[in-house]
Each structure stands twice: as C-alpha cells, then as structure tokens.
Amino acid sequence: MLEYLFLPLSLIFVLSFFDVQKSKKYLPIISSLVLVPTFMLLFTPDRHYWHDRLMIDDLNKFVLLVCAIVGIAVTLALESLRHHVKISPRHYRRFYRFFALFWIGMILSVTANSMGIFWVGLELATLSTVYMIKTNTTPFAHKEAWNYMIVGTIAISLILFGIILIYASAKPSLGEEAMLFTALKSHISRIHSAYLFEIGFAFVAVGSFIKMGFFPMNLWLANIERAAYYPVAALFSGLLESAIVTGLFRFSSLAKELNQSHLIGFTYIYALLTLFVVAFLIYRVKDFMRLFSLSGIEHMVLMLIFWVSGGYFAALLHFAAHAFLKPALFISTGVLESRGKYHIAGALKGYKGFKGRLFQILVALFMLAIISLPPSPMFFSELFGFSAMIDLAKGSHHLLLMLFGILTILILLSIIFYKFVDVYQTMRYEGEERSKRVYASEVGALVLLALATLALLGSFDFIEKIGG
Amino acid sequence: MIYTLIHIAVMVILAPLFLSLIKAIKMWLLFKKPLPLLQGYNDLAKLLRKEVIISQEASQITRIAPYLVLAPLLTALLFMPPVTKGEWYIGFVDAFTLTGLLALSTFFLMLIGLDSASAFGGIGSSREAFISALVEPGMILVIFALSLIAKNLGIAEAAIHLNTHFPTHHLASYTFAAIAFFILILAENGRIPIDNPETHLELTMVHEAMVLDLSGWYLALVEAASAIKYMIFATLFVSFFSPFGIGAPFLIALAIYLAKIAFLSLIIALIEVNTAKLRLFKVPNLLGIAIIFAFLSLISYYMLGA
Amino acid sequence: MFTFDPFALLFLFFLLLGVLPNLFYAYGYLDHIQRKWHFWIHYVAFVLSMGGVVVSYTPLSFLFFWEIMSLSSWQLILTDPKEESTQKAARFYFFMTHFGFVFLLLFFLLVSNGSLTLSFDKLHAIAQNFAYPSLLFFLLILGFLSKAGVVPLHVWLPYAHPAAPSAVSALMSGVMLKIALYGFMRMLLEVLYPWPLEWGILILVLGALSSLIGVLYALAEHDIKALLANHSIENIGIILLGIGMGMIFLALKLPMLATFAFLAALYHIFNHMSFKSLLFLSAGSVLHQTHTKNIERYGGLIKSMPLTAWSFLLAALSISALPPTNGFLSEWMIFQSLLGSSSIANMALKISLPFAVFALALTGGLAIACFVKAFGITFLGLHRSANAKHATEVNAFMRTGMLLMGAVVVGLMLFAPWFLRRFDAALASFGLPSISQKILFSWSIHSLTHNGGVVSPLFLLAMLIFFSAGLVLLAKRLRIRKRIFHTWACGYRTTPRTQYSATGFAGPIRRFFEWLYRPDVHFHKKTLAGHTTKFSTALYDVHIRPLFERSLYDGTKKLLNRLSYFIYRFAHFEQNRYAAIIFNLTLSVLFGYRIVAHQFSWATFALEAIILAFTIKILVIGEKR
Amino acid sequence: MTNLFIGLFLSTLITALLTTRLYRLFLWYGLNSIFLGLAALEQYKLLDDKALLISALLTLLLKGLLLPYLFKLFALKFHTERNIPPKIRLQYAILLIPAILVFTFYLINPILHLPGKNYISLSIASLFLSLVLIIEHKAIFAKVIGFLMMENALFLLGMTATEGMPMLIELGIFFDLLMAVVVINLLFEVEHA
C-alpha cells in the first residue's frame, strides 16, 4: 500500500514537465488521490517494508494523514497563486516539480524506520524547498534561498552526524540493526556507550532545532518564510516541520529511555530560551508572515516539551492542530497582504460576497484558534500538555524550579496571546475598509483545513491510542 | 413600654429646646440679649403657617426627601437607651444600623441640596458628603469600642450594662471613646468648629446651604430633623458616658437625663464661643483625631486586658 | 463532569436572577447595536458559559467554560468597536483574563496531578499532599481574583466593563465577577481546606484595600459606567471581607462564625448582582437616550425619565448600604462577623481587625457621597447639555428589564431570611454547620454572638413607612399650600452652568486624597489684562488614572518594550553570521552535555563560559569597523 | 596507514582554512577527498567490507576529481571573484584551530579508551573546522566547499566510528550530494539569468 503513496506525486512530477497551465485544474484532484492510500493505510495493521527500513505504525499513519490533508489544501491554494504574485509559467512548472519531490522526500522521512532513510528523505525535502523559495525572484528571496541552502544543509549535516554517532554507539551490540528506530527502542539498554549516544542525540537535536528555527536561529526561518511565496511557508509549517518533529519525537523517546533527566534538562532549557526570545520577537512583529512563522516556532517548542514531558497525546494533538491551522493562516496571508506587507490595520475588512464573508470568518476563527482559545483543539492540547509537564515536575527533585519554568512558559505564552489579540483587533476593527478579492481555491483550502481541525476535536480517542 | 413611649415623646418634643438653649447660652456669654428658650418652637410654628414655595427647577425629590430626612431619625429614636432600668426598650439595634439610619437621612438631605440646581445647594451637599464620609468610620468605631467595653453590641443594652458594670478597668479606652464621640457630635450636628449653624455667609456654611431652597413645611421638617439628630447624639452621649441615675424612678431619672443633656449643651456652647470655625480642609484633621481616638480606644481595650 | 449540588444550584439560581431581567433589557437595547447577530451569539454563549462554569465538576470542563466566558465577553465588549478606547479596553481585558487563566490553569494542574478529568471531590487529597499549599493559594488568588478585579489586579475593570453595551456591562459587573468568586469559594471550601490563619488575613487585607480603593476611584470618575465599574471593585472588596472573616474563623475552629461570615459574603454576592445590574441598566438607559457617558452632560433626567431615575435611586440606596435595603443587610452581616472578632484569642489579629471595620465604615461613607453625586448630577437639577434635554423614557422592554431587576432588589430585601436559608443549605454541603436555626427568627436576622445585634428589614421598613406616612398625613391635615416659583438661590439666576458639577462635588474628597489620586490637572484660562483673578474663559479638567496603573502596568509595559527591543536587536545578527551562530550553538550544547553528563564541576563550567564568550566575540560579533 | 591518511586529511582541511585563492581551495578540497578515499580504502582492506570499497571509490572519483573540476567550471562560467580573503584574522585562527582540536578530545575523553574513538574526536574537529571555513568566507563558492568538507567529515565519522555505514545510506547520501550540486547550479543560473 505504501508504494501507492508515491504514485500521485510522481504523476505531478511528470506532469510538471508539460504545460501546467492546462493541467493545473487536475493537480488538486491528483494530489487528493494521496488520500486514498493514506486512508487505506489507516486501516492496515502495523507493517514493515523493505527490510524494516520503512514502516507504518500508528504515529506514521497519523502524520501521513495530516500531511496529506495539508498537501491537498496547499495544492488547492496554489491554483490562485498567479492572482496574488507574478510568476512565469516556467517557474510555475518547476515549482510543481520540486513540490512533488518535496512531498516524496517528506513521505520517505515520515515512514522511515531506518535513521538513514529518515535523513535522506529530509535532505531531499530540504533541497527541493531551496528551489521553491527561489521561485520568488526578488533579491531578498535570492539571498534567503542561499541562506536556506547553507544553513539548511549545515543543519541536516549535523543531524546526520548525530545519526552516525548514535549508530556508532549501538552498532557493537546491535550490528546493522542499530540503524533502525524499532531495534534501538527495544534494545536501548544494551547500548554500551550511553555518552556517545547522548552526544549523537545532542547533534540531532541541534540540527533539528536549527531547522525548526529555535533559538538562536529564530530570525532565519522567519526571514525565509517572509522571502518565499506564501504557499511555501504553508508547506514549511505544515509538512517539513512535521517531518522533523516526527523524527525528533522518535529520537527523543530513545533518549528518554536512556537518560530522562538529561533530556528534560536539555529540552526545557532550550525551550525556555527559545520561547523567551520568540515571545519578545512576536511582541514587536509588524507583518503577518513573520508573526505566523515566529508563532510556528513557538508551537514547535510546545510540541517538543509536551512530548518529552510524556504528554504524547497533547503533543500529537498540538502537532495536528498546528499543522492544520498554520498553513491555513499562511495561505490566507496571500489575501491579507494584498495591500502590502505592513498593512495589518484593516486587513480583515472589506470582504464582500459569500466567498469574502466566509474567508473573513474563517481567518478570524483561525486567528483565535491558534492562540488556543476554546473550542480549538489547541486549547485541549495545551491543557493536556501542561498537565503532563506538571505531572513530570511533581515527580522530579526540582519541583519548584520546574514549576517556575512552567510558569515562565505560560507567561511568555500570554505575551504572545496579547500580541495575537492585538493583531486580531487591529486587522478587524482598525484601518480603512478597502475591497479585496478572494478566490475560490483559497477559500476551498481554508474550508478543508477548518473541517480537518474540527475533525480533530472528534478524534481524541484515536490520537490517544497513538500516544499510548 | 409606656415609659419608653413617654421618653421618645419627650425627646421629640424637647429637641428644639436644647438647640435654643445652646444658642441662648452663647448669646448670653457674648453679652447679647439671650433669645427665649422657646424660640425653636416659635420658628417651627411660623414655618408651619407659611406657604411652601418649591423651586421651578426642583423635581419630585424635593417633595419626598424632607420626609425621608426626618423619618429615619424618628426611627432611630426608637432604639435609644432608656432613661430608667427595667423598662421595656428595643435593645438589639447596633451601631451599624444606627449610623445607617443617620446616613439615610443625610443622603436625602444631600439630594435636596442638588435638586434645585442652585450652586449653593451643591456646595452644601458636597461638603456634607465629605464630612459625613469621614464621620461614619469614626462613629462606627466608637460605638464598636463602647459595645466591647459594655460587652454588648446592642446600643441600649450596652448603655444599661455600663450602668451596672462601670468600666473601671477600661477607663483609658472609655475616655478615648468619649473624646472621639464628642468630636463626632460636633461634626454631625454642624456645630462650630466644623460648621456654623448661624452663619449668614453662604460660602462657609454646610448644613444651611443645602436647605437654602426649602421653605415652609419642608423646611420645618428638616429643621426638626436637625434638632432630633442633636437629641439622638446627646442621648447617646449621656447614656454612654454618664450612665448614672437610671436606677432611679422614672420621673427622677427623666429629670436627671434632661439635666445631663442641658449640661452637655452648655459644654457645646462654651466650646462654640471659644473656638473659631475651621477651614473646610482643616476639618479632616479634627475628624482624624476622632478616628484615632476611636482606634486608640479599641486597641487600648484589647491591650489593657480583655 | 457536571454537578448539581446545592452550591452549584444556588449559583444557577443566581444566574437566573441576573440574566432574566437582563434579557428583556438587552432585547430593548438592540436598536442601538449594529451587529445584532454578533451580539446575540456572544450574549447567549456568554450566559451559557457562565452556567457551564457553575455546574462544572472537573478542571477540564471548568477551564473550558471559563475560557469561553472570557472569549465571549471579550467579543461582547467589541460589539461596537469603533472607538479607539473600546478596542484598547477589550485588548486589556482579554489579556488580563488570560493572565488570570494562566494561574488558574497552573492551580488546577497542580491539584489534579495532571489528570484534568478528575472530579473536584478527588482534588482535596492531592492538594493536601502537595508540598507547598501556600503556592496553591497564591495561584488561586491570582487566578480568580484577577478576574474578580481585586486590587492591585483591578486596573482593567474600569476600562473594560463600561466599554461593553450596558446590558453586557450589567452582566459582567453583576454576574461574571461573582462567577469568579464562586470558583474561588468552591476551590477553597472543596479543595484547599483546611488553611492556616494567614490566608484569611491576606484575603481580609485584600478585601479592605479593594473596597477603599474602589470607592475612592469611583468618586473621582466622571464616566458614569466607569464609576459603576469602580464600585464593583469596592463591592468585591466587601465580599472578600466576608470571605476572609469566614476563612479566619474556620482556621480558628469557629465554624459557626465562619458560616455566618460566608453567609454574609454570599448574601452580598447576590445583593451586589441585583443592585449593580440595576444601576448599569438604568445608567444604560440614560446612555441610550443621551448618547454620552460623561456624567457632566446629564442633569434633570428625573423629569423626563422617571422610571429610570427611581430605579437608579433604589439601587443607589442599596449599594450605599442604607437601611433597610438588601445592601444594608448584607453589609450589616459582614459587619457583625467582623465584630465577632471579640471571641478571637489571637491578639495581633484582634488588634488588626478594627482596621477592617474602619475600611468597611469609610467605604460606606464614601459610597454614599459617590451615589449622591451620581444620582444628583445625573437626575437632578437642570439639563446640562442638549443631549440631556432631548432624552425621553426608554422603550417598554428596557423598562421591563429595569422593573424586573428592581423587583429582584426588593425581593432580596423582603425575603432575606428565605435567601439566607438557601445559602445556609448550600454551605452545608461543604460540611459547614447550619446556623439558620440560630440566626433567623421569623423576619429578623440575628447576629450569632449572644450579645450581638439584630436587624429586621421589615421592621425598619415598616417604621420608616409609618413615620413618613404619619408626616404626610400631618401635612394633609395642616393643609400645606404649595407654589412653584423661583426660589431665592442667593440672588443668582439658576442656569445649567451655575449648577454644581460632578468634578466640583467630589472636589473636597479629591483634594483630601490627592496624595493617592495624583491627578493630572489641566487648568486653562484666558486671563484679562494680566490679572490673575480675572479671566474670560476657564477650563478645569481633572484626569485620574487607576491606582497602580502607572507603577504596575505602565511599568510592566515599559519593561516589556525595552526587553523586547533588546532582544530584537540581539536577535538581528548580521545574516551571514548564521554559520558562526551554529558553530557556537553546537559548541555550547556539546560542552554542556560533556559537563552535565559526565563530570560536573563549576570550574569547567566557568571555563566553558569564558571560551564561549571568546568564540562569540570572535566569530559572531566580530570586530568593530 | 589509516592514521597517516587521516592526518593528511586533517592537514589539507587546515590548509584550506588559511587559503586566500578560490582555485586553490578547490584543490585542497580535492586532495582532502582523495585522502579520505584512501583512508577508506585502508579501512576496506582492514575490514573487508564491499560497501566501503564502493564508497571509497565513489569518494575518490566523485569528490576527489569530479566535483573540484565541476566547481572550477562553474567558477569560470559565472566569472566568480577568485580572491577570497578569510574574514577571521590569522592571529585568531592560529588560536582557534588548535583550540577546536583540544576541545574535541576533551569532549570525547570519557570514551577515549574504546578502540578507534579518537577518530570520532577528529571527525568532530573537522566538522567544526569546516564550519569555520563557512564562517570565514563571504563568497558562496567557499561556503559550498565548506559544506562539502563537512560532508567529508561525516564520511570520516561513518567510516571510522561505525566501521562502515549501511550501503543504502551511503548511496542516499551521494544521491543527495548530487542533488545539492544540481540545486546549486540552478541557483547560480537563476541568479545570472
């Protein structure tokens, strides 16, 4: 079944060599074909493929499903890209080509059981995004594409470095099996040199953190998402980050088995630092793109600490909710910023007609949902995530320290909350009313993502099962 | 029961007398020809005869408020300590209710001041609001201290108790309470140095400014109210701070009681003659002294042996 | 998940009393609202979520409804978002509620051991085993009392409540604040008991502070709705005095007195809901007709809007705690429980309690002054502006709303014993002893101590009516003639401009408390020919900002701005130095792992710091050009 | 012998750090890769692992010869500036490079007693050194070379620490490397278009 996942994507890849203008109506349909094998995978039991190098387990199924929905939404939204930005047909075709490659890399790394395959998929996805960023022809985008190329590859190399170290630490006892997540997980106690493993984990973590834009690289990611066209940012937040987070989830559960206190200490300190910086950066932000990408970083941090604190359900729910909400917001920036980058005031005013009204309501709801106001799934995920953290704190020897940390996180989150409320009110109630055009494809994408978010509320049991 | 009713009637009837008494003593001390002691009754009688003129700007409030100025005070009279022991009386009403009733009366008085759109009514109300806001805590604290000393929260009960168990152990706090209460009498009844009831300069007056637009029957009501208010305070003072003579038969006790009030009026008159009116923003200093003494009374009661 | 125990039912009843008249009023108010659907959706959500909070019996559902409550009330404030100040208020409000929510969340997480679906009755055991119970209490205070508007977390309240449509202001001030207190009481009595004495004293002090500061700032306010909002702070303080006394008594193992104090607090909760709602409703009617919130532009409205005026007067009497209204009764009970201190053995506590009595009494005095001002300036005298001149009585729905709320006020007064029995039964479900047999005799309320006072609202009312009726009859008998004519007014002509203004009315008190208010006074006058005392026009303008706004809030904001600026600068490295940052990052992480994971020593730690400082200097910062 | 090649590998890397000319940098990169390949061949002889042989040969051919040549072609094609002065002062670099080596040994100290673990420290050191290479140059080509050097460090680690990675992974890495080159080419092209 896994093979069929690649089929629609390869089709897009092939089609991209022909005239996209004609075939672009079919592209969303083709990409939604991905759903078929994804859904079928959902009901197959856990399976391993290709000598255990790829596998399908509950986590993978879930992530694949989320990614598929986001991917379809982005293809839908891509249809109206031409209306918002100037883009030549050649570049448009290339964009689709790399988009397909990107998705393939994504699926590879999500379904990987071998750390190596995980890395290969990630690298593929990363390199193909470089070109997607470059589709924008401004000098700024060009510079950022190079930045992405350099920094992204450094980050990826660090991840590989870590993977090799982990492999090296486990190989004496596990042999070639040491490359597989499953084998590592079940034989973690047999690792001789825990220190080497931890150094390896540190490398992997640092690499992933850079990739996700954690401190001190938070500006980098925001700049890139600013430079690229908005669907790229949507893909970034919805898919690429998802893949990295999934990988990090797997690595951190290994590290947790080995030495929990080190892992907790490391991630908490890192998360606090990142949140501290990100919260204040958000506080000063002046355009939508940066606002959303910085808040993306914030949510990655939250997911990660939820996961390492043992709130698997919360982390996954948060992950899925973020994967739906953030691309939706990024897609809508195309319209929101149609009056220019720095026009937050009145950005959510002046929508006429059914499509416009729908768009307005949806974006307003997304804005409120992303700051985890009920009944957004994020409300529940944060609640459960923090409860996991408290649970952890209560069992630790540093209760007051941990509580202080958690309180700090909560207060930093409320700074972000304030900024979002501020932006929400500014875009809704201030500024002049100027008419803006909304296209069916964008609204379609938003509706799809909104429905997916709603569906999350009904699938708590399912997600809980994965976490357990 | 019947004695209590007589007592209340006496208080209502004799109320204007004592205000006139103060005035007469003052005039006598200033080498003027003292006014007759029945002057208060004459004034009231004259007012009752007169026609009521209601300001064009005034609303229903002017027609209703004078009744509500007087009625709470009459109600408060019901709760006064009795003149003789062993008599039926309402003993359970405490300081908070009493001050509440007084405040209700003041509330409507202040509304009258604002009702007629005259600047002077506003001045009066504003100043009255200021002073009575500061008086209220002092009042409650004093009565609280007294009820602690007398070991009963009910006003009348406390007075009776003070008679039977004179607080020889708590004389300090008893004295403090007396001083504080005395200042409050001056403040609440608009006596010098807080307010000058005989002033003719509008800018310096408080109480009179509020009722400037009233006439006839309504003015009579308000004037009666201020007389009764004085009576209430005087009764409270004498029955708390000189709780003697209530063991006597009713008529003698009543006579002693009236003599005590006359004595109190004399003291007030002496003070009025010998002090100048305070500027409005100096008034809080005096009230502050009252509040501090009330606090001292409470605290010394606790500290010196409860 | 949900509970319908007596305490929850009591507050559902409370909600019903608060919302039903409000619904009529809101319906009548609707023609003033442009976004009608928006309003109704959020209004209904607001009411339902308050009900949800009340019946919630797990942390999860409680927090869920709590946030919905905040969310919908925030949107309700934004019903008419045109004004800048409304938006600012909404933003401030929403942030503050979220700020409180943070602490609430932390509290619930700590007492539920992380499993949010635990029912409340299981939380007590966990809270008992927690090592730092005072921490829980502080979280509780910050969480609930920031929502209830207790000093110093009150600053948002006078901004937020007035910004909403009046029906919503009434709901927010009258009902929502009490929902926060409901949560506070439930958590205290169900989860955190038993507590040390100091907690009670803390609550008492907070209550005393809030009541004084609330009323002082209300006095200085010219915006009628902000004035009322400030009074909410005051009344929350009074309620807290009751709760604090109850806590002190429970800590001292005097459960009967504690029940009495809690009864007083609950009764005041109900009373404040009734009269504050009525005040907001009638103030809303005035606003509806005159289109201004500025009290200086009203005047004489009692003639054109009699029903509104009389209901405002009723509520004003009640909030000023004048006998025999319901507000008086509950304050009397709180006063009685403060006086119950004579049976306390703890000397320090005993000596400090008079201060609470003092606060309560001074608050009462100032409240009277404030409502004389509010009622007098708004409804009496002459019209101070054209807006006031053209005001007429509001429509039937709004009148019905006010009448119903007035009926609630009167009902709470007349049927006080009945209500107190219900409160007693609700408190009994927390294991507090029932005292209704001891304090309620027919229609009077007795203080618990044997030598305490008694109050009977019916008796007082009857006496007042008796005497007034007697005087009226006397007037009839004397055949008093009345004539409506110019009165003397010291020889001046009375015009709207000769009247006393609200600013002037509060002048003496404002001057007395100037050290506290620290007002911004603007005094512009055009002097004539250099004379300082002769002028053609003069404008005297006083602005008073809430206490702690400058120090606590503006200070925090300034700090945030500065901090964020530095971080912004700090985060904007030159972009081609990413690699250098990564280098240092990797270095520090590896170093950290090496030290922590293998052998920890402060010396190596210091060494690491030095080396990192060097590499950062060389690689990231570089040399100054 | 492995020791020698690895030593030479490291010295070419350090020399590359101090280079100021672009083509010279390509040369050092080529030599670096060739020494790496030779070391891998030595390892192959020691372990007799077919996969190692293939990757050693690929390294020699692809990285040692093809890539430097390709880059030179690119540089000619896009008329790149050939003078690339390092941004970090020599005085600092002299301190920094030994410090990095010391640090990596300190880092690996707890497990140094295990066989072959000093190679781990060497490869971490070369990772850091190639990062320094990226840091100290502004020119894109130099940065790309730094990135490729990093790739070499990775290979060194994989080869020595784990006695050879699984074949599939090695191939994947090479594939990605090629992909990277394609993308780099595209980037340049678009820039000049």
Side-chain angles (χ1 to χ4, degrees), chain A residues 135-162:
Chain A
T135 327
N136 196 346
T137 48
T138 57
F140 181 47
H142 176 73
K143 193 167 137 237
E144 288 307 327
W146 270 116
N147 262 336
Y148 186 73
M149 173 80 204
I150 305 278
V151 176
T153 44
I154 292 175
I156 291 280
S157 307
L158 288 179
I159 294 178
L160 183 58
F161 211 89

Side-chain angles (χ1 to χ4, degrees), chain A residues 231-267:
Chain A
V232 181
L235 283 179
F236 246 82
S237 56
L239 296 182
L240 186 58
E241 308 286 324
S242 312
I244 298 167
V245 162
T246 321
L248 206 53
F249 281 175
R250 292 192 189 281
F251 280 113
S252 58
S253 26
L254 291 180
K256 194 173 180 178
E257 305 259 317
L258 206 62
N259 191 333
Q260 194 184 6
S261 56
H262 286 177
L263 175 74
I264 300 286
F266 175 54
T267 40

Side-chain angles (χ1 to χ4, degrees), chain C residues 273-456:
Chain C
M273 179 275 288
S274 65
F275 55 66
K276 186 46 66 66
S277 297
L278 185 54
L279 283 171
F280 263 117
L281 296 188
S282 38
S285 304
V286 170
L287 176 68
H288 187 270
Q289 293 300 319
T290 58
H291 309 282
T292 173
K293 281 190 220 166
N294 191 349
I295 195 168
E296 308 279 22
R297 300 175 65 77
Y298 297 153
L301 291 174
I302 192 171
K303 289 158 202 156
S304 45
M305 307 173 71
L307 183 79
T308 309
W310 289 110
S311 39
F312 192 93
L313 184 64
L314 172 66
L317 284 175
S318 186
I319 198 173
S320 313
L322 293 173
T325 54
N326 54 348
F328 166 74
L329 293 177
S330 50
E331 284 200 31
W332 179 85
M333 286 180 75
I334 288 171
F335 184 71
Q336 288 298 326
S337 55
L338 284 172
L339 297 195
S341 60
S342 44
S343 43
I344 292 174
N346 185 327
M347 179 59 82
L349 179 61
K350 224 170 172 176
I351 290 178
S352 50
L353 274 177
F355 289 94
V357 174
F358 170 72
L360 185 62
L362 183 59
T363 305
L366 291 171
I368 291 170
C370 187
F371 275 95
V372 168
K373 171 185 119 173
F375 182 79
I377 303 293
T378 309
F379 292 105
L380 303 183
L382 290 170
H383 307 299
R384 285 153 207 267
S385 69
N387 300 27
K389 200 171 283 173
H390 301 301
T392 51
E393 189 57 272
V394 288
N395 59 34
F397 281 108
M398 288 165 80
R399 287 208 302 270
T400 316
M402 285 190 284
L403 278 176
L404 283 176
M405 197 47 98
V408 173
V409 172
V410 174
L412 275 164
M413 169 175 75
L414 291 182
F415 306 112
W418 185 85
F419 279 101
L420 285 171
R421 284 205 181 86
R422 300 285 86 71
F423 303 155
D424 193 55
L427 284 175
S429 65
F430 294 118
L432 288 166
S434 166
I435 56 165
S436 59
Q437 302 299 323
K438 289 203 169 63
I439 62 163
L440 299 174
F441 295 103
S442 60
W443 289 96
S444 56
I445 309 165
H446 289 234
S447 154
L448 202 55
T449 41
H450 66 93
N451 51 4
V454 179
V455 75
S456 167

Side-chain angles (χ1 to χ4, degrees), chain A residues 160 164 167 176 179, chain D residues 51 158 162-167 169-170 173:
Chain A
L160 183 58
I164 298 173
Y167 180 59
E176 292 258 317
M179 211 56 169
Chain D
T162 68
E163 299 162 348
M165 301 267 283
M167 189 60 218
I169 313 297
E170 297 277 1
I173 294 171

Side-chain angles (χ1 to χ4, degrees), chain A residues 374-375 379-380 383-384 460, chain C residues 1-4 8 45 48-70 101 104-105 108-109 112 115-121 123 144 179 182 186-187:
Chain A
F379 174 75
F380 295 100
L383 236 53
F384 285 109
F460 280 8
Chain C
M1 194 89 168
F2 297 112
T3 178
F4 291 95
L48 289 182
S49 63
M50 286 195 288
V53 169
V54 169
V55 297
S56 286
Y57 208 57
T58 61
L60 184 66
S61 53
F62 191 93
L63 292 171
F64 178 80
F65 286 117
W66 184 267
E67 273 296 82
I68 295 262
M69 184 171 85
S70 306
F101 176 75
L104 216 54
L105 174 64
F108 274 118
L109 291 177
S112 67
S115 47
L116 287 168
T117 44
L118 228 53
S119 67
F120 282 164
D121 50 359
L123 304 186
F144 281 117
I179 298 296
Y182 161 82
R186 183 174 269 279
M187 285 305 113

